[in-house]
Amino acid sequence: MASPAAGDVVPTEACPLPQSKAPADDLELQRRRSRRRCRCICLLVTLGVLLLLGVTLLALFLTVLRVRDPSTHLLSSRIVGVAPSLTQPNFTLLITASVHNPNAASFSFAAGTTALWYRGTHVGDAQIDPASIPSKGDTILNLEMTVFTAGFTANLTQLFEDIEAGSLPLDASARIPGRVAVFGVFKINVVAYSDCHVVVGFPDMAIRGQDCRDHAKL
């Protein structure tokens, strides 16, 4: 094969041009970026909603759902009858008390119990009938308590001294299981306790002094 003569132009092979990406590849890349952006936005919105819900529930618990202690006030007491007994005659004492519910929810309770003590000796029992106390409201309870005469006569010397002084120191304790309903949705089981030291006049049975300590437990 003959060599090209001097001065002749030698033809060269054309260099391949870079190929541009197909339009379909660009569209798929944009779709992937858009889906990733949507997932990130949805995740941030979900986290924000959960955080807001947690803050709301915490605020409700610290304000509305927090159970506050009730308050009890004894209004009157009087003997209404004699209860039959095989040993010594017992008598029935009618006690009227007012109970205040400070919670922003109604309080419904089942049957409760009350015990009466005279200088450390158990001298009486009563049943508390089921009832309901409205939110931030009051209710009146009438308790028919059976008082055991034998409990008072266990220490006759001290009893005569109290009768001569015209007053009887008594202690009453009550336990009332119930349920607090908030907005008709949240229902919390609660047990209300009340411990009262009462000075009752004799023989008029008037309430001359009282100191009640009330508390509630979940």
Side-chain angles (χ1 to χ4, degrees), residues 114-133:
T114 302
L116 187 68
W117 305 79
Y118 169 68
R119 295 193 178 278
T121 302
H122 182 214
V123 296
D125 286 314
Q127 292 290 326
I128 302 175
D129 295 331
S132 178
I133 309 176

Side-chain angles (χ1 to χ4, degrees), residues 14-208:
C15 296
L17 296 174
Q19 297 180 355
S20 60
K21 294 183 179 179
D25 294 339
D26 293 339
L27 183 59
E28 181 64 23
L29 182 60
Q30 291 178 1
R31 288 178 178 176
R32 290 180 180 178
R33 291 177 177 175
S34 178
R35 286 195 294 267
R36 189 180 300 112
R37 187 181 300 110
C38 289
R39 285 195 295 266
C40 291
I41 293 175
C42 290
L43 180 60
L44 291 176
V45 171
T46 302
L47 291 177
V49 171
L50 292 177
L51 180 61
L52 180 61
L53 181 61
V55 172
T56 302
L57 291 177
L58 179 61
L60 282 174
F61 180 79
L62 294 177
T63 55
V64 179
L65 299 181
R66 183 171 65 88
V67 178
R68 296 173 175 83
D69 296 335
S71 58
T72 304
H73 184 73
L74 300 180
L75 301 178
S76 64
S77 64
R78 60 190 178 92
I79 298 176
V80 294
V82 178
S85 175
L86 297 177
T87 55
Q88 295 183 355
N90 299 327
F91 57 91
T92 302
L93 184 67
L94 179 62
I95 299 176
T96 302
S98 172
V99 182
H100 175 69
N101 174 24
N103 296 286
S106 61
F107 175 60
S108 300
F109 56 88
T113 57
T114 302
L116 187 68
W117 305 79
Y118 169 68
R119 295 193 178 278
T121 302
H122 182 214
V123 296
D125 286 314
Q127 292 290 326
I128 302 175
D129 295 331
S132 178
I133 309 176
S135 61
K136 298 186 181 298
D138 303 88
T139 191
I140 300 297
L141 298 179
N142 293 309
L143 311 177
E144 289 190 0
M145 175 170 288
T146 300
V147 179
F148 314 128
T149 307
F152 286 96
T153 58
N155 189 345
L156 288 176
T157 302
Q158 184 63 62
L159 178 62
F160 288 148
E161 291 180 358
D162 291 335
I163 291 177
E164 185 178 1
S167 61
L168 299 175
L170 301 173
D171 294 286
S173 61
R175 179 183 182 274
I176 307 175
R179 176 175 294 181
V180 173
V182 182
F183 306 136
V185 178
F186 300 99
K187 295 184 178 180
I188 306 173
N189 292 325
V190 178
V191 179
Y193 297 89
S194 180
D195 298 293
C196 294
H197 177 72
V198 186
V199 177
V200 179
F202 187 87
D204 58 359
M205 301 303 294
I207 304 294
R208 295 187 178 178

